[in-house]
Amino acid sequence: KNQVEQSPQSLIILEGKNCTLQCNYTVSPFSNLRWYKQDTGRGPVSLTIMTFSENTKSNGRYTATLDADTKQSSLHITASQLSDSASYICVVSAKGNNRLAFGKGNQVVVIP
Amino acid sequence: DAGITQSPRHKVTETGTPVTLRCHQTENHRYMYWYRQDPGHGLRLIHYSYGVKDTDKGEVSDGYSVSRSKTEDFLLTLESATSSQTSVYFCAISEFPDGPLNTEAFFGQGTRLTVV
């Protein structure tokens, strides 16, 4: 069973439009949640990290939200650019656990 | 980019041969991880280390071994490579993976391994 589920698996959006990616998790007890961006052929790079007490965090045109009660997070991309084409991976860590639980990623393709 | 280097970046090897991948960090982070990434599976943990000579298995550890004799180096060995081990391998480092601080997990650029 996967402790981190992401949706949609993939989506295509027009340049300049907004989109929202979803992450649901069952990891417990919760420590933090991170969103990574992975460009094709490269390693994941961190966008945001949120702890239990944080509801929202922004990094430029990327805004992540967290609802620790419902165990849901979203990543909103504003005014998408071609360079936003990538896989976006939700990663959750549990307290007292050295491991990270990974989602399978949301594949985003931005077209002109 | 964080100081993390994987070598080699690409390798083609034959079935049954031993293969060693190296991860080198200059950040002095305590935790180091090896993941493999395959289509439809996302990143899966192979092994990780929480200190020199301290390692533990991940979810897909069969057929792999690791060693960490120095803080900066974490080696992943395929004792006898099989075609099912064709994958992209990522090394990651972290100071406090579950800590209260907003600490990062940094990833290397990946090693593309093909077993023929």
Side-chain angles (χ1 to χ4, degrees), chain A residues 63-76:
Chain A
T63 299
T65 64
L66 173 65
D67 186 334
D69 291 331
T70 62
K71 298 187 177 181
Q72 295 180 325
S73 176
S74 65
L75 181 69
H76 186 75

Side-chain angles (χ1 to χ4, degrees), chain A residues 95-110:
Chain A
K95 290 180 181 178
N97 192 326
N98 300 322
R99 308 181 184 190
L100 303 173
F102 286 81
K104 295 182 180 180
N106 306 101
Q107 187 67 44
V108 174
V109 176
V110 181

